[in-house]
Amino acid sequence: HVQLVESGGGSVQAGGSLRLSCVASGYTISTNCVAWFRQAPGKEREGVALIDSDGTIKYADSVKGRFAISKDNGKKTLYLRMNSLSPEDTAMYYCAADPWRCPPPVGITWKHGAYVYWGQGTQVTVS
């Protein structure tokens, strides 16, 4: 039984920082795909950052240079450090995982429908 549980969201002023965490159970994050997505009201879910099974990291253009994805395999935890936040970053943030390789990160949605496992989300609000 795979479970992904996000935490760390909250309200922050523009220019501030947050660190999101995603604890995985029943899933090996060290050798499988893990990713962060976000969805703002009225918008489609979009890819933010991923770590593929071979260690490749990819960021959405909108967050490059501001966000950093990382993971602690021993703690089975995925992180997303978010700096220089702006109101445009306001969204529900989701942790996602897919066994073995990540689905091709095409466009802005990164084929989110192909991901097998999802967390419940954590809200980030920037004002």
Side-chain angles (χ1 to χ4, degrees), residues 36-91:
W36 288 99
F37 286 79
R38 67 185 182 185
Q39 188 167 17
K43 293 188 176 181
E44 194 165 5
R45 191 166 297 189
E46 62 180 31
V48 175
L50 65 81
I51 303 177
D52 213 334
S53 56
D54 63 356
T56 301
I57 291 176
K58 178 177 174 63
Y59 294 99
D61 289 343
S62 59
V63 307
K64 279 181 182 176
R66 300 188 300 122
F67 290 12
I69 188 172
S70 63
K71 61 182 180 176
D72 184 325
N73 294 331
K75 294 182 178 179
K76 297 185 177 181
T77 302
L78 178 69
Y79 300 101
L80 184 68
R81 177 68 181 181
M82 305 185 295
N83 297 324
S84 302
L85 285 162
S86 72
E88 289 69 36
D89 297 314
T90 294

Short mmCIF file of all heavy atoms in Angstrom, two decimals, residues 36-91:
data_model
loop_
_atom_site.label_atom_id
_atom_site.label_comp_id
_atom_site.label_asym_id
_atom_site.label_seq_id
_atom_site.Cartn_x
_atom_site.Cartn_y
_atom_site.Cartn_z
N TRP A 36 6.98 16.83 -8.00
CA TRP A 36 6.06 17.79 -7.43
C TRP A 36 5.24 18.42 -8.55
O TRP A 36 5.78 18.79 -9.59
CB TRP A 36 6.80 18.91 -6.69
CG TRP A 36 7.42 18.48 -5.40
CD1 TRP A 36 8.72 18.15 -5.18
CD2 TRP A 36 6.76 18.37 -4.14
NE1 TRP A 36 8.92 17.82 -3.87
CE2 TRP A 36 7.73 17.96 -3.20
CE3 TRP A 36 5.45 18.57 -3.69
CZ2 TRP A 36 7.43 17.74 -1.84
CZ3 TRP A 36 5.16 18.36 -2.37
CH2 TRP A 36 6.13 17.95 -1.46
N PHE A 37 3.95 18.53 -8.30
CA PHE A 37 3.03 19.21 -9.19
C PHE A 37 2.30 20.28 -8.40
O PHE A 37 2.31 20.28 -7.17
CB PHE A 37 2.01 18.23 -9.78
CG PHE A 37 2.56 17.31 -10.83
CD1 PHE A 37 3.30 16.19 -10.47
CD2 PHE A 37 2.36 17.57 -12.16
CE1 PHE A 37 3.83 15.35 -11.44
CE2 PHE A 37 2.87 16.73 -13.15
CZ PHE A 37 3.60 15.62 -12.77
N ARG A 38 1.64 21.18 -9.09
CA ARG A 38 0.80 22.17 -8.43
C ARG A 38 -0.42 22.47 -9.29
O ARG A 38 -0.39 22.29 -10.50
CB ARG A 38 1.58 23.45 -8.13
CG ARG A 38 1.99 24.25 -9.35
CD ARG A 38 2.87 25.42 -8.93
NE ARG A 38 3.27 26.25 -10.07
CZ ARG A 38 4.10 27.28 -9.98
NH1 ARG A 38 4.65 27.60 -8.79
NH2 ARG A 38 4.42 27.98 -11.05
N GLN A 39 -1.45 22.90 -8.60
CA GLN A 39 -2.69 23.25 -9.31
C GLN A 39 -3.33 24.44 -8.63
O GLN A 39 -3.67 24.39 -7.44
CB GLN A 39 -3.65 22.06 -9.33
CG GLN A 39 -4.86 22.30 -10.22
CD GLN A 39 -5.62 21.03 -10.49
OE1 GLN A 39 -5.48 20.01 -9.81
NE2 GLN A 39 -6.46 21.05 -11.52
N ALA A 40 -3.47 25.51 -9.41
CA ALA A 40 -4.15 26.71 -8.93
C ALA A 40 -5.62 26.62 -9.31
O ALA A 40 -5.98 25.92 -10.26
CB ALA A 40 -3.51 27.95 -9.54
N PRO A 41 -6.49 27.32 -8.59
CA PRO A 41 -7.92 27.28 -8.90
C PRO A 41 -8.19 27.66 -10.35
O PRO A 41 -7.68 28.67 -10.85
CB PRO A 41 -8.51 28.32 -7.94
CG PRO A 41 -7.56 28.35 -6.80
CD PRO A 41 -6.21 28.15 -7.40
N GLY A 42 -8.97 26.83 -11.04
CA GLY A 42 -9.34 27.11 -12.41
C GLY A 42 -8.27 26.80 -13.43
O GLY A 42 -8.46 27.05 -14.62
N LYS A 43 -7.15 26.27 -12.98
CA LYS A 43 -6.06 25.95 -13.91
C LYS A 43 -5.77 24.46 -13.89
O LYS A 43 -6.11 23.76 -12.94
CB LYS A 43 -4.80 26.73 -13.54
CG LYS A 43 -4.92 28.23 -13.74
CD LYS A 43 -3.59 28.91 -13.56
CE LYS A 43 -3.68 30.40 -13.86
NZ LYS A 43 -2.35 31.07 -13.70
N GLU A 44 -5.09 24.01 -14.95
CA GLU A 44 -4.73 22.62 -15.02
C GLU A 44 -3.52 22.33 -14.12
O GLU A 44 -2.69 23.21 -13.87
CB GLU A 44 -4.41 22.23 -16.47
CG GLU A 44 -4.34 20.74 -16.71
CD GLU A 44 -4.37 20.37 -18.18
OE1 GLU A 44 -4.36 21.28 -19.04
OE2 GLU A 44 -4.41 19.15 -18.46
N ARG A 45 -3.44 21.11 -13.67
CA ARG A 45 -2.30 20.70 -12.86
C ARG A 45 -1.03 20.79 -13.71
O ARG A 45 -1.02 20.33 -14.86
CB ARG A 45 -2.51 19.28 -12.35
CG ARG A 45 -1.52 18.86 -11.29
CD ARG A 45 -1.99 17.59 -10.59
NE ARG A 45 -3.24 17.81 -9.88
CZ ARG A 45 -3.78 16.92 -9.04
NH1 ARG A 45 -3.16 15.78 -8.80
NH2 ARG A 45 -4.92 17.19 -8.44
N GLU A 46 0.03 21.34 -13.13
CA GLU A 46 1.26 21.51 -13.89
C GLU A 46 2.46 20.95 -13.13
O GLU A 46 2.49 20.94 -11.90
CB GLU A 46 1.50 22.98 -14.21
CG GLU A 46 1.68 23.88 -13.01
CD GLU A 46 1.91 25.34 -13.42
OE1 GLU A 46 1.40 25.76 -14.47
OE2 GLU A 46 2.61 26.04 -12.67
N GLY A 47 3.42 20.49 -13.89
CA GLY A 47 4.64 19.98 -13.29
C GLY A 47 5.49 21.09 -12.74
O GLY A 47 5.56 22.18 -13.31
N VAL A 48 6.15 20.82 -11.62
CA VAL A 48 7.02 21.80 -10.97
C VAL A 48 8.47 21.32 -10.99
O VAL A 48 9.35 22.02 -11.45
CB VAL A 48 6.57 22.05 -9.52
CG1 VAL A 48 7.55 22.99 -8.82
CG2 VAL A 48 5.16 22.62 -9.48
N ALA A 49 8.69 20.11 -10.48
CA ALA A 49 10.04 19.56 -10.43
C ALA A 49 9.96 18.06 -10.28
O ALA A 49 8.99 17.54 -9.73
CB ALA A 49 10.82 20.16 -9.26
N LEU A 50 10.96 17.37 -10.80
CA LEU A 50 11.00 15.91 -10.65
C LEU A 50 12.43 15.41 -10.50
O LEU A 50 13.39 16.08 -10.92
CB LEU A 50 10.31 15.23 -11.84
CG LEU A 50 10.90 15.35 -13.24
CD1 LEU A 50 12.07 14.37 -13.46
CD2 LEU A 50 9.83 15.09 -14.29
N ILE A 51 12.54 14.26 -9.88
CA ILE A 51 13.79 13.51 -9.84
C ILE A 51 13.48 12.15 -10.46
O ILE A 51 12.67 11.38 -9.91
CB ILE A 51 14.34 13.32 -8.42
CG1 ILE A 51 14.55 14.67 -7.73
CG2 ILE A 51 15.66 12.55 -8.47
CD1 ILE A 51 15.03 14.55 -6.29
N ASP A 52 14.11 11.87 -11.57
CA ASP A 52 13.85 10.61 -12.25
C ASP A 52 14.62 9.47 -11.58
O ASP A 52 15.46 9.69 -10.71
CB ASP A 52 14.22 10.73 -13.72
CG ASP A 52 13.32 9.90 -14.61
OD1 ASP A 52 12.77 8.89 -14.11
OD2 ASP A 52 13.16 10.23 -15.79
N SER A 53 14.33 8.26 -12.02
CA SER A 53 14.93 7.08 -11.40
C SER A 53 16.45 7.05 -11.56
O SER A 53 17.15 6.43 -10.77
CB SER A 53 14.33 5.82 -11.98
OG SER A 53 14.48 5.80 -13.39
N ASP A 54 16.97 7.76 -12.59
CA ASP A 54 18.43 7.78 -12.80
C ASP A 54 19.07 9.00 -12.15
O ASP A 54 20.25 9.26 -12.35
CB ASP A 54 18.75 7.75 -14.29
CG ASP A 54 18.23 8.98 -15.03
OD1 ASP A 54 17.56 9.82 -14.40
OD2 ASP A 54 18.50 9.10 -16.23
N GLY A 55 18.28 9.75 -11.40
CA GLY A 55 18.81 10.93 -10.71
C GLY A 55 18.65 12.22 -11.48
O GLY A 55 18.97 13.30 -10.95
N THR A 56 18.18 12.14 -12.71
CA THR A 56 17.97 13.35 -13.50
C THR A 56 16.94 14.25 -12.83
O THR A 56 15.90 13.78 -12.39
CB THR A 56 17.49 12.99 -14.91
OG1 THR A 56 18.46 12.16 -15.55
CG2 THR A 56 17.28 14.24 -15.74
N ILE A 57 17.27 15.53 -12.77
CA ILE A 57 16.35 16.51 -12.18
C ILE A 57 15.87 17.46 -13.27
O ILE A 57 16.65 17.89 -14.13
CB ILE A 57 17.05 17.30 -11.06
CG1 ILE A 57 17.30 16.39 -9.86
CG2 ILE A 57 16.23 18.51 -10.64
CD1 ILE A 57 18.07 17.04 -8.72
N LYS A 58 14.59 17.76 -13.22
CA LYS A 58 14.02 18.72 -14.17
C LYS A 58 13.13 19.68 -13.41
O LYS A 58 12.42 19.29 -12.47
CB LYS A 58 13.22 18.00 -15.25
CG LYS A 58 12.57 18.97 -16.24
CD LYS A 58 11.85 18.25 -17.34
CE LYS A 58 11.08 19.24 -18.24
NZ LYS A 58 11.99 20.18 -18.92
N TYR A 59 13.17 20.94 -13.85
CA TYR A 59 12.31 21.98 -13.29
C TYR A 59 11.46 22.61 -14.37
O TYR A 59 11.89 22.73 -15.53
CB TYR A 59 13.15 23.09 -12.64
CG TYR A 59 13.94 22.65 -11.43
CD1 TYR A 59 15.29 22.34 -11.54
CD2 TYR A 59 13.33 22.55 -10.19
CE1 TYR A 59 16.02 21.94 -10.43
CE2 TYR A 59 14.05 22.15 -9.07
CZ TYR A 59 15.40 21.84 -9.20
OH TYR A 59 16.11 21.44 -8.10
N ALA A 60 10.30 23.04 -13.98
CA ALA A 60 9.51 23.88 -14.88
C ALA A 60 10.23 25.21 -15.05
O ALA A 60 10.90 25.70 -14.12
CB ALA A 60 8.13 24.10 -14.29
N ASP A 61 10.11 25.80 -16.23
CA ASP A 61 10.78 27.06 -16.50
C ASP A 61 10.38 28.14 -15.49
O ASP A 61 11.19 28.99 -15.11
CB ASP A 61 10.47 27.54 -17.91
CG ASP A 61 11.15 26.69 -18.98
OD1 ASP A 61 12.10 25.96 -18.63
OD2 ASP A 61 10.73 26.74 -20.14
N SER A 62 9.13 28.07 -15.05
CA SER A 62 8.61 29.11 -14.16
C SER A 62 9.24 29.09 -12.77
O SER A 62 9.12 30.07 -12.02
CB SER A 62 7.10 28.96 -14.02
OG SER A 62 6.76 27.68 -13.51
N VAL A 63 9.90 28.00 -12.41
CA VAL A 63 10.48 27.91 -11.06
C VAL A 63 12.00 27.75 -11.06
O VAL A 63 12.61 27.73 -9.99
CB VAL A 63 9.85 26.75 -10.25
CG1 VAL A 63 8.33 26.86 -10.25
CG2 VAL A 63 10.29 25.39 -10.79
N LYS A 64 12.59 27.65 -12.24
CA LYS A 64 14.05 27.48 -12.32
C LYS A 64 14.77 28.61 -11.61
O LYS A 64 14.42 29.79 -11.78
CB LYS A 64 14.50 27.43 -13.78
CG LYS A 64 14.33 26.09 -14.44
CD LYS A 64 14.81 26.13 -15.89
CE LYS A 64 14.59 24.80 -16.56
NZ LYS A 64 14.97 24.84 -18.00
N GLY A 65 15.76 28.25 -10.81
CA GLY A 65 16.53 29.25 -10.08
C GLY A 65 15.90 29.67 -8.77
O GLY A 65 16.55 30.35 -7.96
N ARG A 66 14.65 29.28 -8.54
CA ARG A 66 13.96 29.65 -7.29
C ARG A 66 13.63 28.43 -6.44
O ARG A 66 13.63 28.52 -5.21
CB ARG A 66 12.67 30.40 -7.60
CG ARG A 66 12.86 31.68 -8.38
CD ARG A 66 11.56 32.46 -8.48
NE ARG A 66 10.50 31.71 -9.16
CZ ARG A 66 9.32 31.43 -8.61
NH1 ARG A 66 9.03 31.83 -7.39
NH2 ARG A 66 8.41 30.76 -9.31
N PHE A 67 13.30 27.33 -7.08
CA PHE A 67 12.90 26.12 -6.37
C PHE A 67 14.01 25.08 -6.48
O PHE A 67 14.75 25.04 -7.48
CB PHE A 67 11.63 25.52 -6.97
CG PHE A 67 10.37 26.32 -6.73
CD1 PHE A 67 10.41 27.61 -6.23
CD2 PHE A 67 9.14 25.75 -7.00
CE1 PHE A 67 9.25 28.33 -6.01
CE2 PHE A 67 7.96 26.45 -6.79
CZ PHE A 67 8.02 27.74 -6.30
N ALA A 68 14.09 24.22 -5.47
CA ALA A 68 15.07 23.13 -5.49
C ALA A 68 14.41 21.87 -4.96
O ALA A 68 13.86 21.86 -3.86
CB ALA A 68 16.28 23.49 -4.65
N ILE A 69 14.49 20.80 -5.74
CA ILE A 69 13.95 19.50 -5.34
C ILE A 69 15.10 18.66 -4.82
O ILE A 69 16.22 18.70 -5.35
CB ILE A 69 13.23 18.82 -6.52
CG1 ILE A 69 12.50 17.57 -6.05
CG2 ILE A 69 14.20 18.51 -7.66
CD1 ILE A 69 11.60 16.94 -7.13
N SER A 70 14.81 17.90 -3.79
CA SER A 70 15.82 17.00 -3.23
C SER A 70 15.10 15.86 -2.52
O SER A 70 13.88 15.90 -2.33
CB SER A 70 16.74 17.74 -2.27
OG SER A 70 16.01 18.22 -1.16
N LYS A 71 15.86 14.86 -2.15
CA LYS A 71 15.26 13.74 -1.42
C LYS A 71 16.25 13.15 -0.45
O LYS A 71 17.46 13.23 -0.65
CB LYS A 71 14.74 12.67 -2.38
CG LYS A 71 15.80 12.04 -3.26
CD LYS A 71 15.17 11.02 -4.20
CE LYS A 71 16.24 10.37 -5.09
NZ LYS A 71 15.68 9.31 -5.96
N ASP A 72 15.72 12.59 0.61
CA ASP A 72 16.50 11.87 1.61
C ASP A 72 16.01 10.43 1.55
O ASP A 72 14.93 10.13 2.06
CB ASP A 72 16.29 12.49 2.99
CG ASP A 72 17.16 11.85 4.05
OD1 ASP A 72 17.40 10.62 3.99
OD2 ASP A 72 17.58 12.57 4.97
N ASN A 73 16.81 9.57 0.92
CA ASN A 73 16.37 8.19 0.72
C ASN A 73 16.18 7.46 2.06
O ASN A 73 15.25 6.66 2.20
CB ASN A 73 17.37 7.44 -0.14
CG ASN A 73 17.43 7.99 -1.56
OD1 ASN A 73 16.44 8.51 -2.07
ND2 ASN A 73 18.59 7.89 -2.18
N GLY A 74 17.04 7.75 3.01
CA GLY A 74 16.93 7.09 4.31
C GLY A 74 15.65 7.44 5.04
O GLY A 74 15.04 6.61 5.72
N LYS A 75 15.22 8.69 4.88
CA LYS A 75 13.98 9.13 5.51
C LYS A 75 12.78 8.93 4.61
O LYS A 75 11.66 9.26 4.99
CB LYS A 75 14.10 10.61 5.90
CG LYS A 75 15.13 10.90 6.98
CD LYS A 75 15.14 12.37 7.34
CE LYS A 75 16.13 12.65 8.46
NZ LYS A 75 16.17 14.09 8.82
N LYS A 76 13.02 8.44 3.40
CA LYS A 76 11.94 8.24 2.43
C LYS A 76 11.14 9.53 2.23
O LYS A 76 9.90 9.51 2.17
CB LYS A 76 11.02 7.10 2.86
CG LYS A 76 11.72 5.75 2.93
CD LYS A 76 10.74 4.64 3.24
CE LYS A 76 11.44 3.28 3.24
NZ LYS A 76 10.50 2.17 3.50
N THR A 77 11.85 10.61 2.14
CA THR A 77 11.21 11.91 2.08
C THR A 77 11.70 12.72 0.88
O THR A 77 12.91 12.81 0.62
CB THR A 77 11.46 12.71 3.37
OG1 THR A 77 10.96 11.96 4.48
CG2 THR A 77 10.75 14.05 3.33
N LEU A 78 10.76 13.29 0.18
CA LEU A 78 11.02 14.20 -0.94
C LEU A 78 10.78 15.62 -0.46
O LEU A 78 9.85 15.87 0.30
CB LEU A 78 10.08 13.87 -2.10
CG LEU A 78 10.17 14.72 -3.35
CD1 LEU A 78 11.49 14.48 -4.08
CD2 LEU A 78 8.98 14.43 -4.27
N TYR A 79 11.64 16.54 -0.91
CA TYR A 79 11.51 17.93 -0.48
C TYR A 79 11.38 18.85 -1.70
O TYR A 79 11.81 18.54 -2.80
CB TYR A 79 12.76 18.37 0.30
CG TYR A 79 13.02 17.57 1.55
CD1 TYR A 79 13.98 16.56 1.57
CD2 TYR A 79 12.30 17.81 2.72
CE1 TYR A 79 14.23 15.82 2.72
CE2 TYR A 79 12.55 17.08 3.87
CZ TYR A 79 13.51 16.09 3.86
OH TYR A 79 13.74 15.35 5.00
N LEU A 80 10.79 20.01 -1.43
CA LEU A 80 10.78 21.09 -2.42
C LEU A 80 11.04 22.39 -1.67
O LEU A 80 10.18 22.85 -0.91
CB LEU A 80 9.45 21.17 -3.17
CG LEU A 80 9.41 22.21 -4.28
CD1 LEU A 80 10.34 21.80 -5.42
CD2 LEU A 80 7.99 22.41 -4.81
N ARG A 81 12.22 22.93 -1.88
CA ARG A 81 12.56 24.20 -1.28
C ARG A 81 12.13 25.29 -2.25
O ARG A 81 12.53 25.28 -3.41
CB ARG A 81 14.06 24.29 -1.02
CG ARG A 81 14.53 25.65 -0.46
CD ARG A 81 14.02 25.87 0.93
NE ARG A 81 14.44 27.16 1.48
CZ ARG A 81 14.12 27.58 2.70
NH1 ARG A 81 13.38 26.82 3.50
NH2 ARG A 81 14.55 28.76 3.11
N MET A 82 11.33 26.23 -1.76
CA MET A 82 10.80 27.28 -2.62
C MET A 82 11.25 28.63 -2.09
O MET A 82 10.90 29.00 -0.96
CB MET A 82 9.27 27.20 -2.66
CG MET A 82 8.75 25.83 -3.07
SD MET A 82 6.97 25.79 -3.26
CE MET A 82 6.44 26.08 -1.58
N ASN A 83 12.00 29.35 -2.90
CA ASN A 83 12.48 30.68 -2.54
C ASN A 83 11.88 31.74 -3.46
O ASN A 83 11.35 31.41 -4.53
CB ASN A 83 14.00 30.74 -2.64
CG ASN A 83 14.70 29.81 -1.68
OD1 ASN A 83 14.25 29.61 -0.54
ND2 ASN A 83 15.81 29.23 -2.10
N SER A 84 11.98 32.98 -3.06
CA SER A 84 11.50 34.11 -3.87
C SER A 84 10.08 33.87 -4.36
O SER A 84 9.77 34.04 -5.55
CB SER A 84 12.44 34.34 -5.07
OG SER A 84 13.76 34.61 -4.62
N LEU A 85 9.23 33.46 -3.46
CA LEU A 85 7.86 33.13 -3.84
C LEU A 85 7.10 34.38 -4.28
O LEU A 85 7.32 35.48 -3.78
CB LEU A 85 7.14 32.47 -2.66
CG LEU A 85 7.55 31.02 -2.41
CD1 LEU A 85 7.16 30.58 -1.01
CD2 LEU A 85 6.94 30.10 -3.46
N SER A 86 6.22 34.17 -5.24
CA SER A 86 5.36 35.24 -5.76
C SER A 86 3.91 34.77 -5.72
O SER A 86 3.65 33.57 -5.60
CB SER A 86 5.76 35.59 -7.19
OG SER A 86 5.38 34.55 -8.07
N PRO A 87 2.97 35.70 -5.82
CA PRO A 87 1.55 35.30 -5.80
C PRO A 87 1.22 34.27 -6.89
O PRO A 87 0.30 33.46 -6.71
CB PRO A 87 0.83 36.62 -6.04
CG PRO A 87 1.73 37.64 -5.43
CD PRO A 87 3.11 37.17 -5.76
N GLU A 88 1.98 34.28 -7.99
CA GLU A 88 1.74 33.31 -9.06
C GLU A 88 2.07 31.88 -8.63
O GLU A 88 1.71 30.93 -9.32
CB GLU A 88 2.56 33.67 -10.30
CG GLU A 88 2.08 34.92 -11.06
CD GLU A 88 2.32 36.20 -10.28
OE1 GLU A 88 3.36 36.29 -9.58
OE2 GLU A 88 1.48 37.12 -10.38
N ASP A 89 2.77 31.73 -7.54
CA ASP A 89 3.08 30.39 -7.02
C ASP A 89 1.98 29.84 -6.13
O ASP A 89 2.06 28.68 -5.69
CB ASP A 89 4.39 30.42 -6.23
CG ASP A 89 5.59 30.80 -7.08
OD1 ASP A 89 5.72 30.25 -8.19
OD2 ASP A 89 6.39 31.64 -6.63
N THR A 90 0.96 30.62 -5.87
CA THR A 90 -0.15 30.16 -5.05
C THR A 90 -0.86 28.99 -5.72
O THR A 90 -1.29 29.09 -6.87
CB THR A 90 -1.15 31.31 -4.81
OG1 THR A 90 -0.51 32.32 -4.02
CG2 THR A 90 -2.38 30.80 -4.07
N ALA A 91 -0.96 27.88 -5.01
CA ALA A 91 -1.56 26.67 -5.57
C ALA A 91 -1.58 25.58 -4.52
O ALA A 91 -0.95 25.71 -3.47
CB ALA A 91 -0.76 26.18 -6.79
#
